[in-house]
């Protein structure tokens, strides 16, 4: 695959999660220092999917939310 102007692809799921988590932090529902597992309380049934995605990117459930928000790119490096 080439990257010549074809970057208008579907938004990566992790980008969506990151945006949603940023909104939760902005609205004070989460603190940047909270552990990622606290997101589970807000996601309910969808959490198992997101947990697998986060684990695939080498996050642990004890990592602070700020680590998730600090990611600049979710490109798959496979």
């Amino acid at each position: 695959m080439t990257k010549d102007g074809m970057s208008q692809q579907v938004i990566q799921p992790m980008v969506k999660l990151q945006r949603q988590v940023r909104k939760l932090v902005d609205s004070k529902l989460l603190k940047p220092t909270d552990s990622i597992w606290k997101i589970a309380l807000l996601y309910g049934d969808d959490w198992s999917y997101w947990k697998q995605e986060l684990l695939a990117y080498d996050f642990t459930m004890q990592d602070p939310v700020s680590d998730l928000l600090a990611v600049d790119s979710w490109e798959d490096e496979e």
Side-chain angles (χ1 to χ4, degrees):
M1 286 196 182
T2 61
K3 286 192 172 189
D4 57 342
M6 298 300 286
S7 60
Q8 284 302 100
Q9 48 196 241
V10 176
I11 296 176
Q12 220 275 356
M14 293 303 290
V15 173
K16 289 182 182 177
L17 177 65
Q18 189 179 39
R19 287 178 183 166
Q20 291 168 339
V21 169
R22 189 174 309 279
K23 286 178 187 172
L24 292 170
V25 169
D26 290 345
S27 64
K28 308 286 191 245
L29 288 171
L30 278 177
K31 295 189 293 257
T33 54
D34 284 342
S35 297
I36 286 175
W37 66 264
K38 283 197 174 180
I39 300 169
L41 303 174
L42 302 165
Y43 273 87
D45 293 343
D46 293 335
W47 177 243
S48 60
Y49 168 79
W50 290 117
K51 182 177 180 183
Q52 291 308 311
E53 289 291 304
L54 287 162
L55 292 172
Y57 282 98
D58 294 328
F59 283 99
T60 71
M61 297 304 101
Q62 289 73 41
D63 288 339
V65 168
S66 58
D67 285 2
L68 172 63
L69 297 178
V71 176
D72 289 329
S73 174
W74 295 100
E75 294 293 318
D76 289 332
E77 296 178 16
E78 293 175 14

